[in-house]
């Protein structure tokens, strides 16, 4: 059979994948009331919408990077401690890192759906030759990333070309292509890891702890997306230091590291090797060898991807063969707690959800540690600590709606149980509140060692809690109302990103308003600032109650 | 946290003229039936006859466009949580939380049902032993075979000893040993008094063995209802099997012959 036939079959498989990603019929979801027509077209449209949202974010990042490059070219006094070429390389390093992180994150979200939807195993019994089958799998895999990947590959050279000149733009192309290939390979690699080590892990004993430990390790690269933004000031300071030193071991490590070795190419084309300042003839060679090695690795990744995609979609989950325990017991709990425990157990075998739980906590650790980079007794550092708590609150609230998507798993069965929306909402709000408290406790623990202001820090954390709970109640209340009306209960990044983003907006405002007012009011005293914050947070919690538990929601 | 069911009526299930539709497509039309205490009622029908839609309406997964559903006298459409508490449900497809293990899933179900730990553990152990599920209790559900998943769903439905069991093709994918156990469990279940079972199947032999009464659904309409003897009398066939009765009532007996004739020789 031909490529044309493979394309046709992959189109059928992609349609099925879209349908399952949105409506989850294979997980028992029922037909939405009154909307049985055009389900296929609607699901494809929703998937396209989500891809467009992700592509738009990538495009904004790219255009933002280009705008910064243009600004630096117009006003060299900005970041004057860093030579122009090194600055351009740093910005493109950040952009390529973010591109990989976002594309990889998308893959992490969609690959479990791809596997559970079983779209390729359905085709297996048909008389399709192995080569065509491999092509179908490859095309299907590429289609998961098509718009976002094309955005990176097309827009990066154009944007860099506009900012630094056409030749520099062309020099940005290899980095963009390699970044996309790596993201696709990482998605597949972590997909296999997920199947073998996380989804296939037995329950009970200390295995849950081991799974979470695996997940933390696994998520650290994905954390780069947020961590890079957080660590950007420190990164620029380090670059300034390297520029002063000139060529050094540190410079050698930097030019050999991906994606800097590609990000430096446009700057070298635009301003020559001297513009990057940290280069020398030896380091030029290191950069060239590193770039060639990364290109070779990308080429090997393409071959590996073409061979492995099909295997992944048929990969049986590996399980241990250890003998079962002699006795098992059940420990029933309250309904809301059961929802919380169920979500944590599911997240411990589902990296997409684990990421949402771990990100605010990892971020809190990173921000808490960042305060150590500021001089002691610096009021800015104390503000940084309070800002870190606010960030934890905002992150916990922003990702809250995504936990609603867990209910799509076995959605139908769950609705046959005597479980009220109220219990479900309470369970999920408890999860979001716990995430915030753990992240905030981590920050307080780290910063108290540095700035001993226990009353202010602990009071700030506790006063913000009602606002976080209120925001979570508000978001989940809206989602339940929406799901009831539309009969479509999915809000993951791949199939319904716009819903999750839309619902997050009022939640972010609710979680962000009390700290903002604290900041404005504390010039009249910290105590007054905390009083204002308390009042607003409690009012927000009161307002959100009817949204979550009033008529039409629960 | 003992489970108690103060019944306001002794009739486990009563459907009064329910209609279910998906958009403009009707799935069930004006269906009325009752499941009496101590009765296993078989709902028979071809694929797409409306069996699963009827069951989904009973357990609250789809809302009927008309009619009334009462579970021990409680209005299922108005008091969904109370009626769901009285029902044990096995769905047609094994839709479970794939990332949980059977023990974790059963613990979640026991929590939602507000069972006490001792009772939940005792029942889980005895059913797991009966269905030989002990070795899989701590394996993720994603790794289990369809038959094993079906056993998990059956245990989840039986765990709280509900007064009404609603089973949608419950014997699908089960091995012969488990089918036999399930049949015996159901017969003992209703024999203990007051309980009822609604059982959908298109396997006539199973219905003949288990059900006191059957209802025959065809394209969303109840074509006949009663005991096997009553149905034989209705179609005027003294020794007809349930399969023959089914085909006559759904007017498919002629259609089946015509379809087979039209196929001709399969080897050609």
């Amino acid at each position: 059979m031909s490529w044309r036939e493979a394309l046709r079959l992959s189109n059928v498989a992609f349609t099925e994948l879209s349908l399952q990603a949105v409506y989850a019929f294979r997980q028992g979801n029922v037909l939405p009331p009154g909307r049985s027509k055009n389900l296929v077209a609607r699901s494809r449209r929703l998937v396209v919408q989500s891809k467009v949202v992700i592509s738009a974010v990538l495009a904004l990042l790219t255009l933002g990077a280009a705008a910064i490059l243009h600004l630096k070219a117009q006003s060299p006094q900005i970041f004057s401690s860093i030579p122009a070429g090194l600055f351009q390389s740093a910005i493109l390093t950040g952009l390529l890192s973010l591109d990989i992180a976002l594309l990889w994150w998308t893959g992490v979200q969609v690959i479990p759906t791809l596997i559970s939807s079983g779209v390729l195993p359905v085709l297996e019994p048909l008389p399709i030759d192995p080569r065509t089958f491999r092509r179908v799998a490859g095309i299907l895999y590429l289609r998961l990333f098509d718009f976002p990947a094309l955005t990176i590959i097309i827009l990066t050279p154009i944007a860099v070309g506009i900012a630094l000149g056409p030749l520099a733009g062309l020099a940005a192309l290899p980095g963009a292509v390699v970044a996309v290939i790596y993201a696709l390979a990482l998605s597949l690699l972590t997909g296999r890891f997920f199947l073998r080590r996380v989804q296939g892990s037995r329950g009970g004993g200390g295995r849950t702890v081991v799974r979470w430990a695996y997940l933390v390790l696994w998520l650290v690269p994905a954390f780069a997306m947020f961590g890079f933004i957080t660590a950007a000031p420190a990164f620029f300071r380090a670059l300034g230091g390297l520029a002063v030193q000139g060529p050094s071991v540190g410079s050698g490590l930097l030019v050999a590291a991906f994606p800097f070795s590609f990000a430096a190419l446009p700057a070298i084309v635009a301003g020559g090797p001297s513009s990057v300042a940290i280069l020398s003839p030896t380091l030029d060679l290191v950069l060239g060898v590193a770039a060639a090695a990364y290109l070779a690795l990308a080429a090997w990744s393409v071959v590996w991807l073409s061979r492995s995609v099909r295997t992944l979609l048929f990969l049986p989950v590996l399980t241990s063969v250890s003998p079962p325990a002699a006795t098992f017991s059940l420990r029933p709990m309250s309904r809301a707690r059961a929802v919380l425990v169920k979500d944590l157990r599911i997240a411990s075998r589902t990296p997409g959800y684990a990421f949402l739980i771990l990100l605010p906590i990892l971020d809190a650790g990173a921000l808490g540690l960042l305060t150590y980079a500021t001089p002691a007794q610096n009021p800015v550092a104390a503000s940084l600590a309070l800002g870190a708590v606010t960030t934890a609150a905002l992150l916990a609230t922003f990702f809250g709606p995504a936990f609603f998507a867990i209910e799509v798993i076995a959605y139908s069965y769950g609705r046959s149980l005597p479980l009220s929306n109220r219990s479900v909402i309470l369970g999920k709000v408890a999860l979001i509140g716990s995430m915030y408290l753990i992240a905030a406790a981590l920050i307080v623990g780290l910063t108290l060692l540095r700035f001993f202001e226990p009353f202010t820090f602990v009071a700030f954390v506790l006063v913000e809690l009602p606002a976080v709970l209120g925001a979570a109640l508000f978001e989940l209340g809206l989602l339940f109302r929406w799901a009831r009306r539309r009969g479509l209960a999915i809000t993951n990044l791949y199939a319904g990103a716009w819903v999750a983003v839309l619902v997050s907006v009022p939640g972010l405002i609710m979680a962000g308003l009390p700290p903002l007012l604290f900041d404005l009011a504390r010039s009249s005293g910290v105590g007054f600032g905390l009083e204002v914050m308390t009042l607003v947070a409690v009012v927000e919690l009161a307002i959100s109650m009817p949204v979550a538990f009033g008529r039409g929601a629960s | 946290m003992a489970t108690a069911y103060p019944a306001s009526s002794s009739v486990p299930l009563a459907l009064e003229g329910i209609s279910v539709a998906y958009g403009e497509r009707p799935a069930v039309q004006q269906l009325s039936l009752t499941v009496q205490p101590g009765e296993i009622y078989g709902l028979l029908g071809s694929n797409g006859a409306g069996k699963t839609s009827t069951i989904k309406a009973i357990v609250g997964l789809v809302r009927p466009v008309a009619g009334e559903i009462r579970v021990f006298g409680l209005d299922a459409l108005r008091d969904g949580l109370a009626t769901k508490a009285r029902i044990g449900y096995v769905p047609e497809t094994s839709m479970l939380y794939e990332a949980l293990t059977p023990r974790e899933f059963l613990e979640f179900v026991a929590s939602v049902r507000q069972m006490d730990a001792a009772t939940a553990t005792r029942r889980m152990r005895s059913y797991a032993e009966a269905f030989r599920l002990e070795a899989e209790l701590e394996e993720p559900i994603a790794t289990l075979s369809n038959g094993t998943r079906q056993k998990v769903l059956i245990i989840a439905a039986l765990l709280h000893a509900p007064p009404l069991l609603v089973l949608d093709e419950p014997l699908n994918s089960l091995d012969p040993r488990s089918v036999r156990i399930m049949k015996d469990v159901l017969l003992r279940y209703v024999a203990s008094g007051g309980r009822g079972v609604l059982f959908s199947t298109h396997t006539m032999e199973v219905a003949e063995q288990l059900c006191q009464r059957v209802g025959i659904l065809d394209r969303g309409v109840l074509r006949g209802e009663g005991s096997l003897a009553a149905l034989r009398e209705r179609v005027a066939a003294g020794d007809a099997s349930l399969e023959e009765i089914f085909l006559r009532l759904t007017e498919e007996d002629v259609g089946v012959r015509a379809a087979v004739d039209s196929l001709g020789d399969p080897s050609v």
Side-chain angles (χ1 to χ4, degrees), chain A residues 393-453:
Chain A
L394 292 174
L395 281 178
T397 315
F398 180 69
F399 291 128
F403 295 113
F404 185 71
I406 289 186
E407 293 311 303
V408 174
I409 310 167
Y411 183 57
S412 198
Y413 188 82
R415 283 170 59 215
S416 77
L417 295 172
L419 182 64
S420 65
N421 286 357
R422 183 190 177 88
S423 299
V424 177
I425 289 176
L426 281 176
K428 290 185 191 303
V429 168
L431 175 61
I432 293 166
S434 306
M435 281 162 55
Y436 163 71
L437 281 178
I438 291 169
L442 190 62
I443 295 164
V444 169
L446 287 169
T447 52
L448 272 186
L449 296 172
R450 190 108 171 104
F451 318 102
F452 193 72
E453 294 179 34

Side-chain angles (χ1 to χ4, degrees), chain A residues 94-473:
Chain A
L95 176 64
L96 292 176
S97 304
L98 291 172
D99 286 344
I100 293 179
L102 194 55
L103 209 56
W104 182 14
W105 195 34
T106 307
V108 164
Q109 293 233 348
V110 72
I111 282 178
T113 306
L114 177 66
I115 296 162
S116 66
S117 64
V119 287
L120 277 195
V122 167
L123 297 176
E124 175 85 300
L126 299 176
I128 303 169
D129 67 87
R131 181 188 282 185
T132 308
F133 215 94
R134 240 188 351 261
R135 287 173 178 172
V136 172
I139 295 169
L140 184 64
Y141 191 69
L142 286 177
R143 288 194 64 175
L144 300 179
F145 303 93
D146 49 9
F147 291 176
L150 287 173
T151 304
I152 294 170
I153 291 170
I154 294 170
L155 201 61
T156 307
I158 293 174
V160 173
I162 292 169
L164 302 179
L167 281 178
L170 205 60
L173 184 62
V177 172
V178 171
V180 167
I181 292 170
Y182 283 4
L184 266 60
L186 283 169
S187 296
L188 193 68
L189 200 65
T190 44
R192 278 159 55 119
F193 175 84
F194 157 73
L195 278 173
R196 288 168 186 267
R197 303 285 176 206
V198 180
Q199 196 185 50
S201 161
R202 282 169 60 86
R207 293 183 197 91
T208 308
V209 177
V210 174
R211 278 202 304 280
W212 279 107
Y214 268 131
L215 285 165
V216 170
L217 282 176
W218 180 82
L219 287 168
V220 166
F223 178 68
M225 189 171 68
F226 199 82
F228 190 87
I229 297 168
T230 305
F235 179 60
F236 279 113
R237 269 199 301 277
L239 281 181
L242 282 178
V244 171
Q245 282 180 26
S248 62
V249 177
S251 313
L253 290 173
L254 184 64
V255 297
F258 180 84
F260 189 90
S261 31
F262 284 102
L265 295 179
I268 292 171
V269 169
S274 61
S275 71
V276 183
I278 58 170
L279 293 177
S280 66
T282 312
L283 290 186
D284 288 350
L285 187 68
V286 171
L287 189 138
V289 170
Y294 289 127
L295 271 177
L297 182 62
W300 181 82
S301 299
V302 171
V303 176
W304 177 77
L305 274 168
S306 66
R307 287 182 184 156
S308 308
V309 167
R310 184 181 173 278
T311 328
L312 173 82
L313 300 183
F314 287 89
L315 195 68
V317 175
L318 298 182
T319 56
S320 61
V321 288
S322 56
T327 55
F328 299 94
S329 57
L330 299 181
R331 289 188 294 275
M333 52 200 91
S334 73
R335 292 185 175 111
R337 192 173 155 215
V339 170
L340 170 69
V341 170
K342 175 205 69 175
D343 284 1
L344 284 173
R345 283 171 169 164
I346 288 173
S348 76
R349 295 189 183 94
T350 316
Y353 295 122
F355 178 83
L356 302 179
I357 292 172
L358 291 173
L359 182 64
I361 296 166
L362 288 173
D363 179 65
L367 284 173
L369 289 172
L370 211 62
T371 58
Y372 285 78
T374 54
Q377 304 310 323
N378 182 347
V380 175
S383 294
L384 184 63
L386 297 182
V389 174
T390 308
T391 310
L394 292 174
L395 281 178
T397 315
F398 180 69
F399 291 128
F403 295 113
F404 185 71
I406 289 186
E407 293 311 303
V408 174
I409 310 167
Y411 183 57
S412 198
Y413 188 82
R415 283 170 59 215
S416 77
L417 295 172
L419 182 64
S420 65
N421 286 357
R422 183 190 177 88
S423 299
V424 177
I425 289 176
L426 281 176
K428 290 185 191 303
V429 168
L431 175 61
I432 293 166
S434 306
M435 281 162 55
Y436 163 71
L437 281 178
I438 291 169
L442 190 62
I443 295 164
V444 169
L446 287 169
T447 52
L448 272 186
L449 296 172
R450 190 108 171 104
F451 318 102
F452 193 72
E453 294 179 34
F455 172 75
T456 308
F457 283 8
V458 174
F460 188 87
V461 167
L462 293 178
V463 165
E464 174 66 358
L465 183 61
V468 171
L469 298 179
L473 283 169

Side-chain angles (χ1 to χ4, degrees), chain B residues 150-171:
Chain B
Q150 191 71 2
K151 291 176 191 175
V152 176
L153 281 167
I154 288 169
I155 296 173
L158 294 168
L159 198 62
H160 61 301
L164 174 63
L165 277 173
V166 178
L167 313 173
D168 197 354
E169 306 278 4
L171 307 181

Side-chain angles (χ1 to χ4, degrees), chain A residues 22-34:
Chain A
V22 175
Y23 293 103
F25 292 131
R26 289 195 191 192
Q27 286 158 338
N29 202 5
V30 293
L31 275 167

Side-chain angles (χ1 to χ4, degrees), chain B residues 132-189:
Chain B
R132 290 184 180 159
L133 194 69
E134 287 165 304
E136 284 88 17
L137 276 175
E138 285 294 9
E139 298 290 347
I141 288 170
T143 68
L144 304 181
S145 69
N146 284 340
T148 309
R149 290 171 187 224
Q150 191 71 2
K151 291 176 191 175
V152 176
L153 281 167
I154 288 169
I155 296 173
L158 294 168
L159 198 62
H160 61 301
L164 174 63
L165 277 173
V166 178
L167 313 173
D168 197 354
E169 306 278 4
L171 307 181
N172 276 356
S173 310
L174 290 185
D175 55 76
R177 180 180 177 279
S178 300
V179 168
R180 179 58 188 267
I181 289 172
M182 186 62 190
K183 285 179 186 171
D184 289 351
V185 164
L186 290 179
L187 290 170
R188 284 190 191 185
Y189 199 78

